[in-house]
């Protein structure tokens, strides 16, 4: 097992996700109680399948697991909030919101992202996850919200007997999931990699080709100062910017995508 798989933040995420199942389930039960038996069974099965999928991803960390957990765990927060709206603020729904929200905060952290992608590292390399370009944030949030709504309501509509609308929404959920997974995964696979031979910038969102810099080419690496004239390869993204000064020219090819 890779050392990153033993990272404290991964264990915190695992424990919190177990807590979601132990104390958060009653809140969802409160919301399903007034509905038909078919809706209760379908909703329970969907919740347990989602919980089990995330549990496996947390036990077997990987870069793809980072993408999927960040797609699935926030859905639990939305589901808990919907349960509170349906059943009211009971002890169960409050615990469901609190536990899923804490799990989502940990999954969204940079430390969690680095631990997950480092688990997929090859040999003697260390990966540092990069933030997504700012222009991607709003489209990502809107498209994820559409996926969340379709995924959560499609099966319940079918269970309630709304066959036409249920089929349409379920097909939409499958199509959105297929379309968005690869796009979200490209955002998860943006990282700087430190290797014995030098530094690699792996980013298929901003770059057409991976940039590989030998140690002999790198004269200095530090946080960029305000007003730096260095080429911006971040997207641009928020947060701290790392500036790498080179002793010789390097070829960088930007991606031709929108």
């Amino acid at each position: 097992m890779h050392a990153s798989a033993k990272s404290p933040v991964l264990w915190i995420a695992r424990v919190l996700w177990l807590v979601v199942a132990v104390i958060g389930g009653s809140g969802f039960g409160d919301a399903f109680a007034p509905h038909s038996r078919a809706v209760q069974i379908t909703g329970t099965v969907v919740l347990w399948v989602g919980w089990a999928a995330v549990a496996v991803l947390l036990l077997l960390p990987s870069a793809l697991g980072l993408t999927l957990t960040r797609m699935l765990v926030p859905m639990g927060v939305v589901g808990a909030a919907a349960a509170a709206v349906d059943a009211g603020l009971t002890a169960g729904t409050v615990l469901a919101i609190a536990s899923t929200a804490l799990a989502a905060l940990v999954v969204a952290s940079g430390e969690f992202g680095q631990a997950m992608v480092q688990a997929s590292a090859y040999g003697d390399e260390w990966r540092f996850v990069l933030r997504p370009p700012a222009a991607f944030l709003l489209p990502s949030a809107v498209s994820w919200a559409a996926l969340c709504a379709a995924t959560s309501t499609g099966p319940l509509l079918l269970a309630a007997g709304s066959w036409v609308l249920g089929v349409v929404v379920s097909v939409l959920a499958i199509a959105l999931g297929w379309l968005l997974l690869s796009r979200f995964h490209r955002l998860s696979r943006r990282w700087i990699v430190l290797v014995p031979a030098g530094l690699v910038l792996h980013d298929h969102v901003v770059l057409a080709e991976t940039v590989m810099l030998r140690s002999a080419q790198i004269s200095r690496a530090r946080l960029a100062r305000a007003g730096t004239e260095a080429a911006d390869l971040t997207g641009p993204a928020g947060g701290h910017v790392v500036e790498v000064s080179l002793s010789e020219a390097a070829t960088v090819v930007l991606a031709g995508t929108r």
Side-chain angles (χ1 to χ4, degrees), residues 5 7 54 71 80 84 114 126 146 198 215 246:
S7 169
V54 173
M71 292 174 69
Q114 185 169 343
W126 196 261
S215 297
L246 305 178

Side-chain angles (χ1 to χ4, degrees), residues 62-63 66 112-121 127-129 188 191:
S62 65
L66 173 62
F112 177 83
Q114 185 169 343
M116 291 291 280
V117 302
Q118 184 61 28
S120 299
R127 297 175 177 179
F128 295 88
V129 182
S188 297
W191 49 61

Side-chain angles (χ1 to χ4, degrees), residues 23-232:
I23 70 171
S26 62
F28 293 104
D30 293 340
F32 289 138
H35 299 281
S36 67
R37 185 62 177 166
V39 171
Q40 292 177 22
I41 294 175
T42 301
T44 301
V45 169
V46 170
L47 288 174
W48 276 111
V49 168
W51 184 90
V54 173
V56 171
L57 294 170
L58 292 175
L59 287 174
L60 303 172
S62 65
L64 179 59
L66 173 62
T67 303
L68 290 171
T69 53
R70 285 182 169 174
M71 292 174 69
L72 293 173
V73 172
M75 290 185 181
V77 183
V78 175
V85 171
D86 194 13
L89 287 177
T90 65
T93 56
V94 170
L95 288 173
I97 292 174
S99 58
T100 53
L102 284 174
L105 286 174
V106 172
V107 167
S109 69
E111 292 79 6
F112 177 83
Q114 185 169 343
M116 291 291 280
V117 302
Q118 184 61 28
S120 299
Y122 299 103
D124 190 10
E125 67 176 33
W126 196 261
R127 297 175 177 179
F128 295 88
V129 182
L130 303 174
R131 292 187 179 188
F136 282 78
L137 297 179
L138 180 59
S140 295
V142 171
S143 57
W144 175 85
L147 173 64
C148 178
T151 302
S152 57
T153 59
L156 296 180
L157 286 170
L158 291 173
S162 300
W163 300 108
V164 175
L165 184 58
V167 168
V168 171
V169 174
S170 297
V171 170
L172 177 62
I174 294 172
L176 282 173
W178 181 266
L179 178 70
L180 294 177
L181 177 59
S182 62
R183 285 158 174 76
F184 287 162
H185 192 45
R186 289 177 68 188
L187 297 177
S188 297
R189 298 180 72 247
R190 303 180 68 244
W191 49 61
I192 291 176
V193 187
L194 298 183
V195 295
L199 181 149
V200 177
L201 180 56
H202 182 279
D203 181 3
H204 294 310
V205 175
V206 176
L207 304 175
E209 301 175 359
T210 298
V211 176
M212 293 177 284
L213 303 173
R214 294 176 287 105
S215 297
Q217 291 179 275
I218 302 173
S219 58
R220 182 175 58 191
R222 65 179 183 183
L223 292 179
R225 295 180 176 178
T228 178
E229 296 182 357
D232 186 357

